[in-house]
């Protein structure tokens, strides 16, 4: 089987069980609960709606919390990586990068990190998408949540 290639256009991580089963089922459950409250507005149906919405929120919050922890680890990894590859004049400026910029830079090879960081610090690259699009030698990140 051919090895998959990761690039800017194809780096989003889709978890089929989560994105195409869990969330759609929880959303359908919440919509069904809304329909039941509409058709038969009893206290029991209202409580079922509250539980359905809470479950849907739990599904989204589980993903947000997972991605938040992942981003914190990526930021730590990138700070350590930058300390190892940047020239001495740029090392004190590592903390000037935002967490979004650090997370976006993880796809760059060590050889291009210095130039990329200079462009970010000069304001030439503002968003994480701009940073990712500037990466020439894409380093795949398969260990993501």
């Amino acid at each position: 089987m051919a090895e998959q290639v990761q690039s800017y256009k194809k780096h989003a991580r889709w978890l089929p069980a989560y994105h195409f089963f869990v969330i759609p089922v929880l959303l359908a459950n919440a919509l069904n609960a809304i329909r039941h409250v509409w058709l038969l507005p009893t206290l029991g149906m209202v409580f079922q709606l509250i539980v359905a919405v809470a479950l849907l929120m739990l599904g989204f919050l589980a993903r947000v919390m997972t991605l938040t922890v992942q981003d914190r680890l990526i930021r730590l990894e990138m700070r350590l990586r930058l300390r190892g590859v940047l020239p001495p004049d740029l090392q004190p400026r590592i903390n000037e990068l935002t967490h979004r910029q650090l997370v976006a830079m993880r796809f760059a090879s060590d050889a291009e990190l210095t130039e990329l960081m200079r462009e970010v610090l000069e304001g030439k690259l503002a968003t994480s998408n701009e940073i990712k699009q500037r990466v020439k030698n894409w380093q795949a990140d398969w260990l993501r949540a």
Side-chain angles (χ1 to χ4, degrees), residues 33-53:
I34 291 169
R35 184 180 67 88
H36 282 165
V37 168
W38 180 264
L39 295 175
L40 184 63
T42 65
L43 192 57
M45 291 298 161
V46 170
F47 185 72
Q48 285 184 10
L49 173 60
I50 292 169
V51 171
V53 170

mmCIF file of all heavy atoms in Angstrom, residues 33-53:
data_model
loop_
_atom_site.group_PDB
_atom_site.id
_atom_site.type_symbol
_atom_site.label_atom_id
_atom_site.label_comp_id
_atom_site.label_asym_id
_atom_site.label_seq_id
_atom_site.Cartn_x
_atom_site.Cartn_y
_atom_site.Cartn_z
ATOM 1 N N ALA A 33 -35.661 15.860 19.895
ATOM 2 C CA ALA A 33 -36.168 16.355 21.183
ATOM 3 C C ALA A 33 -36.893 17.686 21.003
ATOM 4 O O ALA A 33 -37.930 17.928 21.626
ATOM 5 C CB ALA A 33 -35.019 16.482 22.189
ATOM 6 N N ILE A 34 -36.349 18.544 20.128
ATOM 7 C CA ILE A 34 -37.034 19.812 19.831
ATOM 8 C C ILE A 34 -38.408 19.532 19.217
ATOM 9 O O ILE A 34 -39.404 20.156 19.571
ATOM 10 C CB ILE A 34 -36.175 20.682 18.884
ATOM 11 C CG1 ILE A 34 -34.932 21.190 19.620
ATOM 12 C CG2 ILE A 34 -36.983 21.846 18.322
ATOM 13 C CD1 ILE A 34 -33.898 21.839 18.715
ATOM 14 N N ARG A 35 -38.453 18.573 18.301
ATOM 15 C CA ARG A 35 -39.729 18.207 17.666
ATOM 16 C C ARG A 35 -40.731 17.708 18.703
ATOM 17 O O ARG A 35 -41.902 18.082 18.686
ATOM 18 C CB ARG A 35 -39.480 17.136 16.595
ATOM 19 C CG ARG A 35 -40.719 16.743 15.806
ATOM 20 C CD ARG A 35 -40.393 15.690 14.763
ATOM 21 N NE ARG A 35 -40.024 14.412 15.336
ATOM 22 C CZ ARG A 35 -40.904 13.447 15.649
ATOM 23 N NH1 ARG A 35 -42.187 13.624 15.454
ATOM 24 N NH2 ARG A 35 -40.484 12.313 16.157
ATOM 25 N N HIS A 36 -40.269 16.889 19.643
ATOM 26 C CA HIS A 36 -41.165 16.370 20.682
ATOM 27 C C HIS A 36 -41.675 17.481 21.582
ATOM 28 O O HIS A 36 -42.842 17.471 21.997
ATOM 29 C CB HIS A 36 -40.465 15.291 21.500
ATOM 30 C CG HIS A 36 -40.414 13.974 20.793
ATOM 31 N ND1 HIS A 36 -39.581 12.960 21.194
ATOM 32 C CD2 HIS A 36 -41.074 13.495 19.704
ATOM 33 C CE1 HIS A 36 -39.730 11.927 20.401
ATOM 34 N NE2 HIS A 36 -40.639 12.235 19.479
ATOM 35 N N VAL A 37 -40.822 18.444 21.927
ATOM 36 C CA VAL A 37 -41.258 19.572 22.751
ATOM 37 C C VAL A 37 -42.277 20.401 21.984
ATOM 38 O O VAL A 37 -43.262 20.883 22.554
ATOM 39 C CB VAL A 37 -40.053 20.444 23.196
ATOM 40 C CG1 VAL A 37 -40.506 21.759 23.797
ATOM 41 C CG2 VAL A 37 -39.196 19.673 24.196
ATOM 42 N N TRP A 38 -42.070 20.534 20.688
ATOM 43 C CA TRP A 38 -42.996 21.293 19.842
ATOM 44 C C TRP A 38 -44.367 20.599 19.790
ATOM 45 O O TRP A 38 -45.400 21.247 19.896
ATOM 46 C CB TRP A 38 -42.418 21.426 18.440
ATOM 47 C CG TRP A 38 -43.290 22.189 17.494
ATOM 48 C CD1 TRP A 38 -44.180 21.672 16.607
ATOM 49 C CD2 TRP A 38 -43.386 23.599 17.371
ATOM 50 N NE1 TRP A 38 -44.808 22.658 15.928
ATOM 51 C CE2 TRP A 38 -44.335 23.869 16.369
ATOM 52 C CE3 TRP A 38 -42.748 24.669 17.985
ATOM 53 C CZ2 TRP A 38 -44.669 25.157 15.976
ATOM 54 C CZ3 TRP A 38 -43.080 25.942 17.583
ATOM 55 C CH2 TRP A 38 -44.024 26.171 16.605
ATOM 56 N N LEU A 39 -44.368 19.278 19.620
ATOM 57 C CA LEU A 39 -45.614 18.526 19.477
ATOM 58 C C LEU A 39 -46.307 18.262 20.815
ATOM 59 O O LEU A 39 -47.534 18.264 20.888
ATOM 60 C CB LEU A 39 -45.355 17.186 18.772
ATOM 61 C CG LEU A 39 -44.874 17.282 17.329
ATOM 62 C CD1 LEU A 39 -44.526 15.895 16.785
ATOM 63 C CD2 LEU A 39 -45.919 17.959 16.455
ATOM 64 N N LEU A 40 -45.516 18.015 21.855
ATOM 65 C CA LEU A 40 -46.079 17.683 23.160
ATOM 66 C C LEU A 40 -45.267 18.392 24.245
ATOM 67 O O LEU A 40 -44.376 17.811 24.857
ATOM 68 C CB LEU A 40 -46.052 16.157 23.369
ATOM 69 C CG LEU A 40 -46.694 15.616 24.635
ATOM 70 C CD1 LEU A 40 -48.179 15.917 24.677
ATOM 71 C CD2 LEU A 40 -46.447 14.131 24.740
ATOM 72 N N PRO A 41 -45.545 19.676 24.469
ATOM 73 C CA PRO A 41 -44.723 20.464 25.402
ATOM 74 C C PRO A 41 -44.995 20.135 26.874
ATOM 75 O O PRO A 41 -45.674 20.874 27.572
ATOM 76 C CB PRO A 41 -45.093 21.907 25.066
ATOM 77 C CG PRO A 41 -46.461 21.826 24.490
ATOM 78 C CD PRO A 41 -46.580 20.486 23.838
ATOM 79 N N THR A 42 -44.436 19.020 27.312
ATOM 80 C CA THR A 42 -44.559 18.653 28.723
ATOM 81 C C THR A 42 -43.217 18.875 29.423
ATOM 82 O O THR A 42 -42.181 19.034 28.770
ATOM 83 C CB THR A 42 -44.961 17.177 28.885
ATOM 84 O OG1 THR A 42 -43.899 16.354 28.378
ATOM 85 C CG2 THR A 42 -46.262 16.872 28.165
ATOM 86 N N LEU A 43 -43.243 18.857 30.733
ATOM 87 C CA LEU A 43 -42.018 19.032 31.509
ATOM 88 C C LEU A 43 -41.013 17.916 31.195
ATOM 89 O O LEU A 43 -39.810 18.154 31.088
ATOM 90 C CB LEU A 43 -42.354 19.057 33.003
ATOM 91 C CG LEU A 43 -41.247 19.510 33.942
ATOM 92 C CD1 LEU A 43 -40.745 20.887 33.568
ATOM 93 C CD2 LEU A 43 -41.742 19.494 35.371
ATOM 94 N N GLY A 44 -41.512 16.704 31.012
ATOM 95 C CA GLY A 44 -40.642 15.576 30.678
ATOM 96 C C GLY A 44 -39.958 15.761 29.335
ATOM 97 O O GLY A 44 -38.771 15.451 29.180
ATOM 98 N N MET A 45 -40.686 16.263 28.362
ATOM 99 C CA MET A 45 -40.104 16.487 27.033
ATOM 100 C C MET A 45 -39.076 17.621 27.079
ATOM 101 O O MET A 45 -38.053 17.559 26.394
ATOM 102 C CB MET A 45 -41.191 16.808 26.004
ATOM 103 C CG MET A 45 -42.085 15.653 25.666
ATOM 104 S SD MET A 45 -41.124 14.329 24.923
ATOM 105 C CE MET A 45 -42.232 12.968 25.168
ATOM 106 N N VAL A 46 -39.343 18.639 27.871
ATOM 107 C CA VAL A 46 -38.391 19.738 28.013
ATOM 108 C C VAL A 46 -37.100 19.218 28.640
ATOM 109 O O VAL A 46 -35.999 19.571 28.214
ATOM 110 C CB VAL A 46 -38.987 20.900 28.840
ATOM 111 C CG1 VAL A 46 -37.929 21.929 29.196
ATOM 112 C CG2 VAL A 46 -40.142 21.541 28.087
ATOM 113 N N PHE A 47 -37.225 18.352 29.638
ATOM 114 C CA PHE A 47 -36.039 17.773 30.269
ATOM 115 C C PHE A 47 -35.267 16.916 29.265
ATOM 116 O O PHE A 47 -34.034 16.947 29.239
ATOM 117 C CB PHE A 47 -36.412 16.950 31.508
ATOM 118 C CG PHE A 47 -35.212 16.433 32.243
ATOM 119 C CD1 PHE A 47 -34.411 17.298 32.976
ATOM 120 C CD2 PHE A 47 -34.864 15.095 32.179
ATOM 121 C CE1 PHE A 47 -33.290 16.835 33.635
ATOM 122 C CE2 PHE A 47 -33.741 14.626 32.832
ATOM 123 C CZ PHE A 47 -32.954 15.497 33.572
ATOM 124 N N GLN A 48 -35.976 16.158 28.436
ATOM 125 C CA GLN A 48 -35.295 15.364 27.401
ATOM 126 C C GLN A 48 -34.540 16.271 26.427
ATOM 127 O O GLN A 48 -33.442 15.937 25.983
ATOM 128 C CB GLN A 48 -36.299 14.492 26.641
ATOM 129 C CG GLN A 48 -36.760 13.293 27.427
ATOM 130 C CD GLN A 48 -37.684 12.389 26.621
ATOM 131 O OE1 GLN A 48 -37.843 12.552 25.413
ATOM 132 N NE2 GLN A 48 -38.289 11.428 27.297
ATOM 133 N N LEU A 49 -35.112 17.408 26.111
ATOM 134 C CA LEU A 49 -34.437 18.364 25.233
ATOM 135 C C LEU A 49 -33.171 18.894 25.902
ATOM 136 O O LEU A 49 -32.115 18.994 25.265
ATOM 137 C CB LEU A 49 -35.369 19.524 24.868
ATOM 138 C CG LEU A 49 -34.745 20.680 24.091
ATOM 139 C CD1 LEU A 49 -34.173 20.196 22.769
ATOM 140 C CD2 LEU A 49 -35.760 21.790 23.886
ATOM 141 N N ILE A 50 -33.267 19.222 27.179
ATOM 142 C CA ILE A 50 -32.096 19.718 27.916
ATOM 143 C C ILE A 50 -30.983 18.669 27.924
ATOM 144 O O ILE A 50 -29.816 18.982 27.685
ATOM 145 C CB ILE A 50 -32.492 20.138 29.346
ATOM 146 C CG1 ILE A 50 -33.381 21.379 29.292
ATOM 147 C CG2 ILE A 50 -31.256 20.376 30.211
ATOM 148 C CD1 ILE A 50 -34.049 21.726 30.608
ATOM 149 N N VAL A 51 -31.348 17.413 28.158
ATOM 150 C CA VAL A 51 -30.349 16.335 28.161
ATOM 151 C C VAL A 51 -29.758 16.154 26.761
ATOM 152 O O VAL A 51 -28.542 15.983 26.605
ATOM 153 C CB VAL A 51 -30.967 15.017 28.689
ATOM 154 C CG1 VAL A 51 -30.018 13.847 28.485
ATOM 155 C CG2 VAL A 51 -31.335 15.158 30.159
ATOM 156 N N ALA A 52 -30.587 16.214 25.725
ATOM 157 C CA ALA A 52 -30.098 16.053 24.355
ATOM 158 C C ALA A 52 -29.114 17.165 23.992
ATOM 159 O O ALA A 52 -28.070 16.907 23.383
ATOM 160 C CB ALA A 52 -31.277 16.032 23.380
ATOM 161 N N VAL A 53 -29.425 18.392 24.368
ATOM 162 C CA VAL A 53 -28.526 19.515 24.087
ATOM 163 C C VAL A 53 -27.239 19.372 24.907
ATOM 164 O O VAL A 53 -26.138 19.640 24.408
ATOM 165 C CB VAL A 53 -29.226 20.865 24.360
ATOM 166 C CG1 VAL A 53 -28.244 22.024 24.299
ATOM 167 C CG2 VAL A 53 -30.358 21.072 23.359
#
